[in-house]
Amino acid sequence: MKYLAVHEWGRVNVGQDPSSLTRADATRLIAAAVAHSLGGDEGTSIISDHHHYVRVGQCVGVLASTDVTLEILPKVDPAAPDLQPGSVRAQLVRMLDAAWELGLSEGEIAPLARQNTNLLDCLIRIFADRLLAQVRQGLPRAYREKARDVAVMRGRLDVIRQFTIHSVRPDRLACRFDELSADTPLAQIMRACVVLLSRLARTQETHRRLFELRILMGEVSDAPLGRLPWASVKIDRSNRRWRTLYDLGRLLLVRDWQATHYDAESRARGFSLLFPMNELFEATIAAALRKALSTYDVDVVTQGGFRYCLGEWLPNGPCSGNLFRTRPDIIIRSRGKVVLVVDTKWKCLRDDADESKRGISQSDVYQLMAYAQLYNCDRLLMLYPHHAGLSTAGVQANYGIAVPGKLRSDRLQIATVDVGQESAAVSAALRQIVLDTVGRQKA
């Protein structure tokens, strides 16, 4: 199996060099991208073929086929030198941890920068370590109804089966009874994840942990990946410690940003774990904002609002919109009033000395101007990832929206945040940015 790493928007040569893809490898990866929900009609949203090389898009994660695994790592500034894959991988895991609230400790994340592995291996090892610790304490159990033919009465009699199947067998009793069992829907999902990851793990130590898990979970039945009992899982006080493992297993098995493929031609399995960076950055910021503002009387709403831009014009009355519905990335409300609209952008913000507009898209500015009007909000924030080309993180620029005749202009701030930091540092930075933008008396 060949393993290659590339940064988003980067390219990998196609040839016979060990650090390149063969033509067969490239074809298989493109086929996997086409089959993925994020790939688009021809897979070009993930990877595009340029004959002598392939170029990846703005998705990060792992794209695997029969003989090759391609790891795609985030990179904000395309012109900057590539960073060490380990440190970038650790940054990506921190973002996933924040976005999906996986509850990973820095002690679990920091060693990733020193390991010669890929993102999928990192997540498999974290999952295996955590699951093994929980299973050694005992599997969650629940009462499940059993139907068995026994010699001694147990529970209640299954009358229909008794007087049809066993009508001439008085020595057999068809019984139904409740039995405390570890074969629960949650355990079945965990076992399915262990079985799948056993085929994908690379390191011997991870294989050893997964093999031990299969033995310890021997009383749990195997369920096909396509028919796992997700709807039957209930997380309550009795199994609350399994919440993080459940979320991590769901991330690996059925997230919309991930797909498992079956290569029918070669009869071999491939695996893809991919995330659009725009959406991952937004989810990371939203989760960090909720933590940052938890002590304030505000609500953080993602992909909400839903106000319309246009509606029927009336000569003597307000317009009720029904066309072109808006959905801001993040809205912050205080006592029912929108005090801040945040638009997240996984783009490279330029230094002011390099470009007067700093790489800010004109359409993005128009979008925020519309939000200010629709949501009656005079505080707007465009939030970018911080990178080495900028001197300091935080608020980078303050602009007023030029509306003729308006005495006090709406305020649009441009800010950056370093999402590669520990979660507490990210939350603290975001709290400071929000307070600088809306004012402490409003937050």
Side-chain angles (χ1 to χ4, degrees), residues 123 144 213 358-359 364:
L123 295 177
R144 302 193 69 187
L213 281 167
R358 312 196 66 174
D364 292 340

Side-chain angles (χ1 to χ4, degrees), residues 307-376:
R307 295 185 182 178
Y308 291 90
C309 292
L310 300 179
E312 182 181 0
W313 182 83
L314 300 174
N316 298 308
C319 173
S320 178
N322 59 3
L323 293 174
F324 302 109
R325 188 173 70 171
T326 61
R327 193 170 60 180
D329 291 343
I330 301 172
I331 291 175
I332 298 178
R333 291 194 180 103
S334 177
R335 301 176 182 87
K337 175 179 171 55
V338 177
V339 297
L340 180 64
V341 177
V342 182
D343 200 28
T344 59
K345 300 295 180 185
W346 184 259
K347 297 179 180 179
C348 181
L349 185 69
R350 297 297 181 188
D351 195 320
D352 193 30
D354 298 333
E355 185 179 348
S356 59
K357 295 182 181 179
R358 312 196 66 174
I360 301 171
S361 169
Q362 192 162 319
S363 60
D364 292 340
V365 175
Y366 291 165
Q367 185 180 47
L368 279 172
M369 291 175 65
Y371 290 161
Q373 179 78 9
L374 289 172
Y375 294 92
N376 191 27

Side-chain angles (χ1 to χ4, degrees), residues 225-389:
L225 289 177
R227 295 197 297 272
L228 291 176
W230 297 103
S232 301
V233 174
K234 296 180 180 178
I235 303 294
D236 52 28
R237 288 187 298 175
S238 65
N239 59 6
R240 186 180 301 166
R241 58 193 174 95
W242 289 77
R243 162 61 72 181
T244 301
L245 279 167
Y246 174 76
D247 291 340
L248 188 53
R250 192 171 183 86
L251 175 71
L252 292 166
L253 289 175
V254 297
R255 281 291 183 191
D256 291 339
W257 294 351
Q258 171 264 326
T260 303
H261 308 293
Y262 186 76
D263 187 344
E265 180 180 354
S266 62
R267 313 303 292 173
R269 288 176 175 84
F271 189 87
S272 302
L273 186 69
L274 296 169
F275 307 90
M277 276 309 302
N278 282 319
E279 296 179 25
L280 180 57
F281 181 58
E282 178 190 328
T284 301
I285 294 301
L289 275 174
R290 290 191 180 96
K291 291 182 180 179
L293 304 177
S294 60
T295 58
Y296 295 86
D297 185 20
V298 297
D299 298 318
V300 179
V301 181
T302 58
Q303 296 294 314
F306 302 124
R307 295 185 182 178
Y308 291 90
C309 292
L310 300 179
E312 182 181 0
W313 182 83
L314 300 174
N316 298 308
C319 173
S320 178
N322 59 3
L323 293 174
F324 302 109
R325 188 173 70 171
T326 61
R327 193 170 60 180
D329 291 343
I330 301 172
I331 291 175
I332 298 178
R333 291 194 180 103
S334 177
R335 301 176 182 87
K337 175 179 171 55
V338 177
V339 297
L340 180 64
V341 177
V342 182
D343 200 28
T344 59
K345 300 295 180 185
W346 184 259
K347 297 179 180 179
C348 181
L349 185 69
R350 297 297 181 188
D351 195 320
D352 193 30
D354 298 333
E355 185 179 348
S356 59
K357 295 182 181 179
R358 312 196 66 174
I360 301 171
S361 169
Q362 192 162 319
S363 60
D364 292 340
V365 175
Y366 291 165
Q367 185 180 47
L368 279 172
M369 291 175 65
Y371 290 161
Q373 179 78 9
L374 289 172
Y375 294 92
N376 191 27
C377 179
D378 62 355
R379 291 293 184 269
L380 308 164
L381 176 64
M382 294 180 69
L383 200 56
Y384 290 80
H386 190 71
H387 58 86

Side-chain angles (χ1 to χ4, degrees), residues 150-165:
V150 294
V152 180
M153 184 66 186
R154 184 178 179 184
R156 63 188 185 278
L157 187 67
D158 187 340
V159 176
I160 295 177
R161 180 175 175 81
Q162 182 66 39
F163 290 101
T164 55
I165 304 299

